[in-house]
């Protein structure tokens, strides 16, 4: 939703948050491009984009503790927090993305940290919803 640069990370040509989430205020279903998004370029109404778009940045952008590998442009996954829920949206065109490389281990670490705080981790991929339980994605 934002095209932002921080000292460490930038959205670049990523527009994943304009595609994967449902955005009721824009009448946008999940896993569909926002009608205002020009893929690979960004928001066509950037200066007039809704406040919710102005306010949103994914966790990869805001939390240096999220490993570089989670860059949405390449990981095909979007991570953000909603209260006690850590949400992972997986691009349905890459449904196994979260099972690759270091992602299962990272998810396991997040699930453990979330559980310790009374929080939880939910992964969405198309119509599939998975609660990430500690010890499941990366068994000890
Ligand atoms: S209005 Fe712009 S920033 Fe918001 S979802 Fe659509 S394309 Fe993205
Ligand atoms: S998903 Fe993250 S990196 Fe990609 S455009 Fe949205 S805020 Fe930027």
């Amino acid at each position: 939703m934002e095209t932002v640069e921080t000292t460490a990370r930038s959205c670049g040509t990523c527009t994943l948050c304009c595609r994967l989430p449902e955005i009721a205020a824009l009448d946008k279903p999940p896993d569909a491009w926002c009608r205002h998004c020009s893929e690979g370029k960004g928001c066509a109404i950037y200066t007039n984009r809704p406040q919710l778009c102005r306010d949103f940045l994914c966790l990869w952008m805001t939390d240096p503790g999220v490993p570089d590998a989670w860059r949405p442009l390449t990981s095909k996954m979007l991570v953000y927090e909603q209260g006690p829920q850590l949400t992972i949206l997986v691009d349905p065109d890459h449904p196994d993305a979260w099972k690759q490389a270091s992602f299962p281990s990272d998810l396991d670490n997040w699930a453990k940290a979330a559980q310790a705080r009374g929080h939880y981790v939910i992964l969405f991929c198309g119509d599939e919803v998975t609660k990430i339980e500690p010890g499941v994605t990366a068994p000890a």
Side-chain angles (χ1 to χ4, degrees):
M1 293 182 194
E2 280 281 13
T3 302
V4 172
E5 292 194 12
T6 66
T7 50
R9 293 173 173 175
S10 65
C11 295
T13 57
C14 179
T15 48
L16 209 60
C17 56
C18 301
R19 177 181 163 220
L20 297 188
E22 178 178 13
I23 307 177
L26 289 168
D27 198 23
K28 186 192 108 38
D31 302 321
W33 289 110
C34 172
R35 63 187 182 280
H36 301 300
C37 183
S38 179
E39 186 178 354
K41 293 180 182 174
C43 180
I45 58 164
Y46 187 73
T47 55
N48 296 312
R49 67 199 185 286
Q51 189 62 44
L52 67 93
C53 299
R54 296 172 189 272
D55 293 342
F56 183 85
L57 280 176
C58 71
L59 210 57
W60 181 80
M61 281 288 288
T62 60
D63 184 350
V66 175
D68 284 340
W70 285 88
R71 183 186 187 209
L73 191 63
T74 50
S75 71
K76 310 301 180 186
M77 292 180 282
L78 168 57
V79 183
Y80 59 100
E81 286 180 307
Q82 297 170 287
Q85 178 173 307
L86 182 68
T87 301
I88 321 289
L89 302 184
V90 180
D91 182 344
D93 291 342
H94 302 270
D96 291 332
W98 61 286
K99 301 174 183 173
Q100 314 295 324
S102 58
F103 299 128
S105 173
D106 291 338
L107 287 166
D108 190 55
N109 289 335
W110 292 345
K112 288 172 181 165
Q115 188 178 64
R117 294 195 298 154
H119 291 193
Y120 49 91
V121 179
I122 305 286
L123 184 143
F124 298 85
C125 182
D127 293 334
E128 288 192 22
V129 182
T130 305
K131 184 178 182 187
I132 305 296
E133 300 284 3
V136 174
T137 58

